[in-house]
Amino acid sequence: MSERLTIALAGNPNSGKTTVFNALTGARQHVGNYPGITVERKEGTARSGDADLHVVDLPGTYSLTAYSQEELVARHVLIEEKPDAAINVVNAGVLERNLYLTVQLLEIGVPLVVSLNMMDEAKRQGLSINAKRLAELLGAPVVETVARTGRGVPELAAAAAQLGRERKGELQPLLISYGPDLDQAIADMAAVLDASPAATAGYAPRWLAIKHLEGDAEIIDALRSRDAETAARLEALSAKVADHCHKTLGTYPEAIIADYRYGFIASILKQDVVQLNRIDRVALSDRIDTVLTHALLGPLIMLGVLYGIYQFTFIVGDIPMTWMGDFFEWLGGVAGDALPDGDLKSLIVSGVIDGVGGVLGFVPLIVIIFLIIAFLEDSGYMARIAYMLDRLFRMFGLHGCSVMPFIVSGGIAGGCAVPGVMAARTLRSRRERLATILTAPFMTCGAKLPVFLMLTAIFFPDNEAQAMFIVTLTAWAVALLVAKGLRSTIISGPSTPFVMELPPYRLPTLRGMCIHAWERTWQFIKRATTVVLPISILLWAAMTYPGLPEEEAALYETRREEIRAAFQPAAEAVAEAEEQAAARPVAELEDEAAEALDEALAVVDAEEAMAALKNSAAGRFGVALEGVSSLAGYEWRTNIALAAGFAAKEVFVATLGTAYSLGETDPEESAPLIERLKSDPDWTMAKGVSLILFMMLYAPCFMTVFTIRQESGSWGWAVFSMVFNTGLAFALAVAAFQILR
Ligand code: GDP
Ligand code: MG
């Protein structure tokens, strides 16, 4: 029995579409009009094997945005009539321009066969096109044709019939990244649309969102009439991102979308597909890219840039960092003087100021890093980094699309694994996506940043930039090795081809960089108050209560009394000296005696504070872990901080700040945490290296774990990431500690 399949024919004007249509259908044609408009509707039938093809010739268009009636008709047929497959006729001689429509067809997701037409002309121009490679990169079959002579047309019909049979018109939209700003806006808008079936009316939410951002009048009007409330929310989101793009990049979403589509095409053509003449800005970008993405020079420059980032950050950030340290020290002193002794003072000074202040103290360094990252992103260099890493990534069983999740997670420093893990959605292969999701959290996210900055300041005060550079490279190396391990064992499978968007270079504006850097810094500051502060207060409580049992507290009180009593004779000696009017002035002797008494009492106070901390809920927990953790060099206070870091990694710094502050007798005169740890004999270099490794690799914070569960679809992988990462982190930390000790 023969099967009937509907095939739509799309292409730019003059690509040879009508010629292909004629070659396919011969005399079996019917010409009519689309209802109510003058656009011609041509249909015909063809046979391929045992399939009957019903072919619809769409009007020739350059795009699928509603700029003209032709474009509207073309997309209505594709989306509403749901052909089983579509043939996209492209002129091989001007591939770059023609692929712009191809990309939009793929974005709709209709099963697509590309007819690489006018191959005879292209050959005459000296172009050689690798159709097989093009098909791999587009993810769609490509058939070379010469429609005028009919060459390749039977193969084209067969390919369309096969695809139509396999996919039956089922949409598989191509997901293109449009850069961090637009991707976020598209995701937000798609989420709004998702909630209103009335508004989407069967169209894909993401596609509608993109069209909305492109200012597609037809879509915007249709949404308004279908669901006014949803339309209003979308328009607000769209206006917001348009304003943001205008302020930061001086351009409009529509232009950015076009840029990224051309970037997508340019990078396809670059991968040994074809050589072309390009337009100006793209040509200049190409010339820059011959150096910046050069096979050998490119990676060297990339490493140089990375190293330069840290060098610059520490040189410029040194002075404001001292100011921040001084400020929080002063604040602690003021609060200590103003508040009466007791739990409230302890909470404010040790819990809040020494805890949260420790995290906020890193703001100057973080602002500088974020400014540089904004420069790399806005200029287009970040996309090149991803492009270069693609080759490396594939060697380790990852995918070019894994690079962005890594960078978003903090590949250079200061990202977040939550959006990083979500960014892995662009990967089509589930196995490659899983490998990416499980390894991206090893990167140096914004929360680990203050931890590493603190640890390098303590252990490598003279080589902070070098240390941060090595930390970053180590994180990448471990992530890649773990990925390789996972991809060769529990999630093994073939790798899929990859296309990367390379938008043309752009000179970033200072204003744009400042806005981008400020957005991230504000995120960091907000986290310090909304996430770190409440956790710090909880931990302060866990480190304060239940305190010392009464008998033990009484013991310390007795010791203090004994000391005071022992100083009594000294006071008598002072009185004697007064009578004798000896050589030394009386006041001096009095001072000396008082000072000695204070010192002796302070020793007892310190011992008591330490005993109380050790006896607190958190203290007991930390001490209990010491049996195991001492293998890696961690004593009980570090254990508390590491456990607390699971809530949010920067809490590690806050918790240590509180723990060391509570153990101190005189909070008003306390030194910054870094100074305290530097002079603590427990904090050796071996412990430092072991801690850096552990912090880099152990269980992702709980928000990330939750996101892994969402994105992988099972708690299994989320639990795996906690158990496996912590196991790996501990093994490496122990090894480092035992070797360096
Ligand atoms: P349409 O605008 O997409 O309908 O394109 P047409 O089918 O009208 O073709 C435009 C011109 O290109 C016509 O002169 C065709 O003869 C010519 N043409 C179509 N296919 C080929 C081909 O494969 N090779 C060459 N050399 N010319 C072709
Ligand atoms: Mg025509």
Coordinates of all heavy atoms in Angstrom, one line a residue, residues 439-481:
T439 N 29.8 17.5 35.9 CA 31.2 18.0 36.1 C 31.2 19.6 36.1 O 32.2 20.1 36.7 CB 32.1 17.5 34.9 OG1 31.4 17.7 33.7 CG2 32.4 16.1 35.1
A440 N 30.2 20.2 35.6 CA 30.3 21.7 35.6 C 30.4 22.3 37.1 O 31.0 23.3 37.3 CB 29.0 22.3 34.9
P441 N 29.8 21.6 38.1 CA 29.9 22.2 39.4 C 31.3 22.2 40.0 O 31.5 22.8 41.1 CB 28.9 21.3 40.3 CG 28.0 20.7 39.3 CD 28.8 20.5 38.0
F442 N 32.3 21.6 39.3 CA 33.7 21.7 39.8 C 34.3 23.1 39.6 O 35.3 23.4 40.2 CB 34.5 20.6 39.1 CG 34.2 19.2 39.5 CD1 34.3 18.2 38.6 CD2 33.9 18.9 40.8 CE1 34.1 16.9 38.9 CE2 33.6 17.6 41.2 CZ 33.7 16.6 40.2
M443 N 33.6 23.8 38.7 CA 34.2 25.2 38.4 C 34.1 26.1 39.6 O 33.4 25.9 40.5 CB 33.4 25.8 37.2 CG 33.4 25.0 35.9 SD 35.1 24.9 35.2 CE 35.6 23.3 35.6
T444 N 34.9 27.2 39.5 CA 35.0 28.1 40.6 C 33.9 29.1 40.5 O 34.0 30.2 39.9 CB 36.3 28.9 40.5 OG1 37.4 27.9 40.4 CG2 36.5 29.8 41.7
C445 N 32.8 28.8 41.2 CA 31.6 29.7 41.2 C 31.8 30.9 42.1 O 32.8 30.9 42.8 CB 30.3 28.9 41.6 SG 30.4 28.4 43.4
G446 N 31.0 31.8 42.0 CA 31.1 33.1 42.8 C 31.2 32.8 44.3 O 31.8 33.6 45.0
A447 N 30.5 31.7 44.7 CA 30.5 31.4 46.1 C 31.9 30.8 46.6 O 32.3 31.1 47.7 CB 29.4 30.5 46.5
K448 N 32.5 30.0 45.7 CA 33.8 29.5 46.1 C 34.9 30.5 46.0 O 36.0 30.4 46.6 CB 34.1 28.3 45.1 CG 33.4 27.0 45.4 CD 34.0 26.0 44.5 CE 32.9 25.0 44.0 NZ 33.4 24.1 42.9
L449 N 34.6 31.6 45.2 CA 35.6 32.6 44.9 C 36.2 33.2 46.2 O 37.4 33.2 46.4 CB 35.1 33.6 44.0 CG 36.0 34.5 43.3 CD1 37.1 33.7 42.5 CD2 35.3 35.4 42.3
P450 N 35.3 33.7 47.1 CA 35.9 34.2 48.4 C 36.7 33.2 49.2 O 37.6 33.5 49.9 CB 34.7 34.7 49.2 CG 33.5 34.1 48.5 CD 33.9 33.9 47.1
V451 N 36.3 31.9 49.1 CA 37.0 30.9 49.8 C 38.4 30.7 49.3 O 39.4 30.7 50.0 CB 36.2 29.5 49.7 CG1 37.0 28.5 50.5 CG2 34.8 29.7 50.2
F452 N 38.5 30.6 48.0 CA 39.8 30.5 47.4 C 40.6 31.7 47.6 O 41.9 31.7 47.8 CB 39.7 30.2 45.9 CG 39.2 28.8 45.6 CD1 38.4 28.6 44.4 CD2 39.4 27.7 46.4 CE1 37.9 27.3 44.2 CE2 38.9 26.5 46.1 CZ 38.2 26.3 45.0
L453 N 40.0 32.9 47.5 CA 40.7 34.1 47.7 C 41.3 34.2 49.1 O 42.4 34.6 49.3 CB 39.8 35.4 47.4 CG 39.4 35.6 46.0 CD1 38.4 36.7 45.9 CD2 40.6 35.9 45.1
M454 N 40.5 33.7 50.1 CA 41.0 33.7 51.4 C 42.1 32.7 51.6 O 43.2 33.0 52.2 CB 39.8 33.3 52.4 CG 40.3 33.2 53.8 SD 38.9 32.7 54.9 CE 39.1 30.9 54.8
L455 N 41.9 31.5 51.1 CA 42.9 30.4 51.2 C 44.3 30.8 50.6 O 45.3 30.6 51.1 CB 42.4 29.1 50.7 CG 41.3 28.5 51.5 CD1 40.7 27.2 50.9 CD2 41.7 28.2 53.0
T456 N 44.2 31.4 49.4 CA 45.4 31.9 48.7 C 46.1 33.0 49.5 O 47.3 33.1 49.6 CB 45.2 32.3 47.2 OG1 44.1 33.2 47.2 CG2 44.9 31.1 46.4
A457 N 45.3 33.9 50.1 CA 45.8 35.0 50.8 C 46.6 34.4 52.1 O 47.6 35.0 52.5 CB 44.7 35.9 51.3
I458 N 46.1 33.3 52.6 CA 46.7 32.8 53.8 C 48.0 32.0 53.4 O 49.1 32.2 54.0 CB 45.8 31.8 54.5 CG1 44.6 32.6 55.1 CG2 46.5 31.1 55.7 CD1 43.5 31.6 55.6
F459 N 47.9 31.2 52.4 CA 49.0 30.2 52.1 C 49.9 30.7 51.1 O 51.1 30.2 51.0 CB 48.4 28.8 51.8 CG 47.6 28.3 52.9 CD1 46.2 28.2 52.8 CD2 48.2 27.8 54.0 CE1 45.5 27.7 53.8 CE2 47.5 27.3 55.1 CZ 46.1 27.2 55.0
F460 N 49.5 31.5 50.2 CA 50.4 32.0 49.1 C 50.3 33.5 49.0 O 50.0 34.0 47.9 CB 50.0 31.3 47.7 CG 49.8 29.8 47.8 CD1 48.5 29.3 48.0 CD2 50.9 29.0 47.8 CE1 48.4 27.9 48.0 CE2 50.8 27.6 47.9 CZ 49.5 27.1 48.0
P461 N 50.6 34.2 50.1 CA 50.4 35.6 50.1 C 51.2 36.4 49.0 O 50.9 37.4 48.6 CB 50.8 36.1 51.5 CG 51.6 34.9 52.1 CD 51.1 33.7 51.4
D462 N 52.4 35.7 48.6 CA 53.2 36.4 47.6 C 52.9 36.0 46.2 O 53.4 36.6 45.3 CB 54.7 36.1 48.0 CG 55.0 36.6 49.4 OD1 54.5 37.7 49.8 OD2 55.8 35.9 50.0
N463 N 52.1 34.9 46.0 CA 51.8 34.5 44.7 C 50.3 34.2 44.5 O 49.9 33.2 44.0 CB 52.6 33.2 44.4 CG 54.0 33.3 44.7 OD1 54.7 34.1 44.1 ND2 54.5 32.4 45.6
E464 N 49.5 35.2 44.9 CA 48.1 34.9 44.9 C 47.6 34.7 43.5 O 46.8 33.8 43.2 CB 47.3 36.1 45.5 CG 47.4 36.1 47.0 CD 46.8 37.4 47.6 OE1 47.5 38.4 47.5 OE2 45.7 37.3 48.1
A465 N 48.1 35.5 42.5 CA 47.6 35.4 41.1 C 47.9 34.0 40.6 O 47.1 33.3 40.0 CB 48.1 36.5 40.3
Q466 N 49.2 33.6 40.8 CA 49.6 32.3 40.3 C 48.8 31.2 40.9 O 48.4 30.3 40.2 CB 51.1 32.0 40.6 CG 52.1 32.8 39.8 CD 52.4 34.2 40.4 OE1 51.6 34.8 41.0 NE2 53.6 34.6 40.1
A467 N 48.6 31.3 42.2 CA 47.8 30.3 42.9 C 46.4 30.2 42.3 O 45.9 29.1 42.0 CB 47.7 30.6 44.4
M468 N 45.7 31.3 42.1 CA 44.4 31.3 41.6 C 44.4 30.7 40.2 O 43.4 30.0 39.8 CB 43.8 32.7 41.5 CG 43.3 33.3 42.8 SD 42.0 32.2 43.6 CE 40.6 32.4 42.5
F469 N 45.4 31.0 39.4 CA 45.5 30.5 38.0 C 45.6 29.0 38.1 O 44.9 28.3 37.4 CB 46.8 31.1 37.4 CG 47.1 30.7 36.0 CD1 46.2 31.0 35.0 CD2 48.2 30.0 35.7 CE1 46.5 30.7 33.7 CE2 48.5 29.6 34.4 CZ 47.7 30.0 33.4
I470 N 46.4 28.5 39.0 CA 46.6 27.0 39.1 C 45.3 26.4 39.6 O 44.9 25.3 39.1 CB 47.8 26.7 40.0 CG1 49.1 27.1 39.3 CG2 47.8 25.2 40.3 CD1 50.3 27.1 40.1
V471 N 44.6 27.1 40.6 CA 43.4 26.5 41.1 C 42.4 26.4 39.9 O 41.7 25.3 39.7 CB 42.7 27.5 42.1 CG1 41.3 27.1 42.4 CG2 43.5 27.4 43.4
T472 N 42.3 27.4 39.0 CA 41.4 27.3 37.9 C 41.7 26.2 37.0 O 40.8 25.4 36.6 CB 41.4 28.7 37.1 OG1 41.2 29.7 38.0 CG2 40.4 28.7 36.0
L473 N 43.0 26.1 36.6 CA 43.4 25.0 35.7 C 43.1 23.6 36.3 O 42.7 22.7 35.6 CB 44.9 25.2 35.3 CG 45.2 26.4 34.5 CD1 46.7 26.3 34.0 CD2 44.3 26.6 33.3
T474 N 43.4 23.5 37.6 CA 43.2 22.2 38.3 C 41.7 21.9 38.2 O 41.3 20.7 37.9 CB 43.6 22.3 39.7 OG1 44.9 22.8 39.8 CG2 43.6 20.9 40.4
A475 N 40.8 22.8 38.4 CA 39.4 22.6 38.4 C 39.0 22.0 37.0 O 38.3 21.1 36.9 CB 38.6 23.8 38.7
W476 N 39.5 22.7 36.0 CA 39.2 22.2 34.6 C 39.8 20.8 34.4 O 39.1 20.0 33.8 CB 39.9 23.2 33.6 CG 39.1 24.4 33.3 CD1 39.2 25.6 34.0 CD2 38.0 24.6 32.4 NE1 38.3 26.5 33.6 CE2 37.6 26.0 32.5 CE3 37.4 23.9 31.4 CZ2 36.6 26.6 31.8 CZ3 36.4 24.4 30.6 CH2 36.0 25.8 30.8
A477 N 41.0 20.6 34.8 CA 41.6 19.3 34.6 C 40.8 18.2 35.2 O 40.5 17.2 34.6 CB 43.1 19.3 35.1
V478 N 40.5 18.4 36.5 CA 39.7 17.4 37.2 C 38.3 17.2 36.5 O 37.9 16.0 36.3 CB 39.5 17.7 38.7 CG1 38.7 16.7 39.4 CG2 40.9 17.8 39.4
A479 N 37.7 18.3 36.2 CA 36.4 18.2 35.5 C 36.5 17.3 34.2 O 35.7 16.4 34.0 CB 35.8 19.5 35.2
L480 N 37.5 17.6 33.4 CA 37.6 16.9 32.2 C 37.9 15.4 32.4 O 37.4 14.5 31.8 CB 38.7 17.5 31.3 CG 38.4 18.9 30.7 CD1 39.6 19.5 30.0 CD2 37.2 18.8 29.8
L481 N 38.8 15.1 33.4 CA 39.2 13.7 33.7 C 38.0 13.0 34.2 O 37.7 11.8 33.8 CB 40.3 13.7 34.7 CG 41.7 14.1 34.1 CD1 42.8 14.2 35.2 CD2 42.1 13.1 33.0

